[in-house]
Amino acid sequence: MGGDGGSIPSRIDLVRTSGYAFSRNLGGMGYLPNTQCRAGDEHLSSNQMKELRWKTCALSQEPLAPPIVSCKLGLLYNKEAVLKYILSKKPKPSFEHLKGLRDIKDVEFMVDKVTQRFLCPILRTELSASNRGVLIWKCGCCVSEKAFKQFMKNDSTEGLCPNCNSSFKYNPEIFNKSQTLPFSSDLVFLVPDLNEEGLLRTKLLHLNNKTIKTQ
């Protein structure tokens, strides 16, 4: 901010961040303590936070609009916002895992024509904080967790997407949400709460570090 080798923000930069703050209580669980969020979001319940995340781009904080993509953490973004961020080559603390197109996946959402909310294409139920969506990374289809479990066998590591019939592999134990389970790149639970996101960030960081060491 001047004198320390940093940059001096312009007025437009300050305007863009007006109404936002850095969350104070996000330490631990691998969650970054300087994650920027809406100034009032710290007081939202877990379900209220999830509902907000179902409607808002995690990067730009603008309303979600097609094309929509997800990262391996299950956060939702406007694709245009992510592409601009990647091309800018200016990493932000909470989004350093977004380095290229391989880190995002286009999500094939079914949208209710009246409410404009996202629906499970199998059960036709609205995806929400209480009816979470499961993204099958290989094909990009998103179905509700309930629909997914109805079509998958508990003892199988291979399955067919209940929406498009594409084959994929996965670990059935992922639904146990155990902290000891490895990070899953095949299935992504969309719109995690802050605690879930923190755990996922820790696992993703460990996976990336392991990948770098083996290269």
Side-chain angles (χ1 to χ4, degrees):
M1 297 292 291
D4 60 355
S7 59
I8 300 176
S10 63
R11 181 180 182 278
I12 187 62
D13 292 323
L14 296 175
V15 171
R16 283 174 178 166
T17 57
S18 177
Y20 292 83
F22 289 97
S23 188
R24 296 185 297 275
N25 56 354
L26 297 182
M29 295 292 288
Y31 200 88
L32 298 176
N34 55 348
T35 298
Q36 192 178 47
C37 61
R38 295 176 189 270
D41 285 357
E42 286 186 84
H43 307 291
L44 297 178
S45 68
S46 177
N47 279 350
Q48 288 174 325
M49 177 67 77
K50 284 186 176 182
E51 290 297 342
L52 181 63
R53 288 182 162 194
W54 273 111
K55 303 175 183 178
T56 310
C57 171
L59 182 59
S60 68
Q61 302 298 327
E62 296 178 351
L64 286 171
I68 297 171
V69 297
S70 171
C71 65
K72 293 293 181 67
L73 300 177
L75 302 179
L76 297 177
Y77 311 84
N78 289 329
K79 189 173 185 178
E80 182 179 0
V82 177
L83 295 180
K84 287 182 178 179
Y85 167 74
I86 293 174
L87 291 174
S88 72
K89 297 183 179 180
K90 297 179 180 179
K92 295 182 179 180
S94 296
F95 303 101
E96 291 181 335
H97 62 291
L98 300 177
K99 296 179 173 63
L101 293 179
R102 66 179 181 179
D103 299 315
I104 59 175
K105 185 69 178 183
D106 287 271
V107 185
E108 301 295 333
F109 278 122
M110 170 177 280
V111 181
D112 187 295
K113 295 181 180 179
V114 177
T115 65
Q116 296 301 304
R117 298 300 298 270
F118 304 131
L119 303 177
C120 169
I122 308 302
L123 302 180
R124 297 297 196 274
T125 53
E126 182 179 306
L127 300 175
S128 63
S130 58
N131 186 36
R132 73 186 310 171
V134 177
L135 171 65
I136 301 174
W137 192 266
K138 184 176 181 180
C139 61
C141 291
C142 178
V143 301
S144 67
E145 182 176 346
K146 182 178 181 180
F148 186 91
K149 288 181 176 179
Q150 287 181 358
F151 280 84
M152 297 298 111
K153 296 180 180 179
N154 294 331
D155 58 348
S156 176
T157 59
E158 296 185 1
L160 297 176
C161 172
N163 185 48
C164 72
N165 215 37
S166 296
S167 61
F168 65 95
K169 295 182 179 181
Y170 78 109
N171 180 359
E173 292 297 317
I174 187 176
F175 291 102
N176 294 335
K177 303 180 181 65
S178 170
Q179 295 187 26
T180 61
L181 289 175
F183 188 87
S184 173
S185 297
D186 303 312
L187 296 182
V188 176
F189 291 103
L190 295 183
V191 189
D193 61 29
L194 295 182
N195 287 333
E196 292 170 335
E197 183 183 341
L199 177 60
L200 289 170
R201 284 183 182 276
T202 300
K203 290 185 176 182
L204 182 59
L205 179 62
H206 176 74
L207 177 64
N208 289 341
N209 289 339
K210 185 177 180 180
T211 301
I212 292 175
K213 290 180 180 179
T214 58
Q215 289 179 346

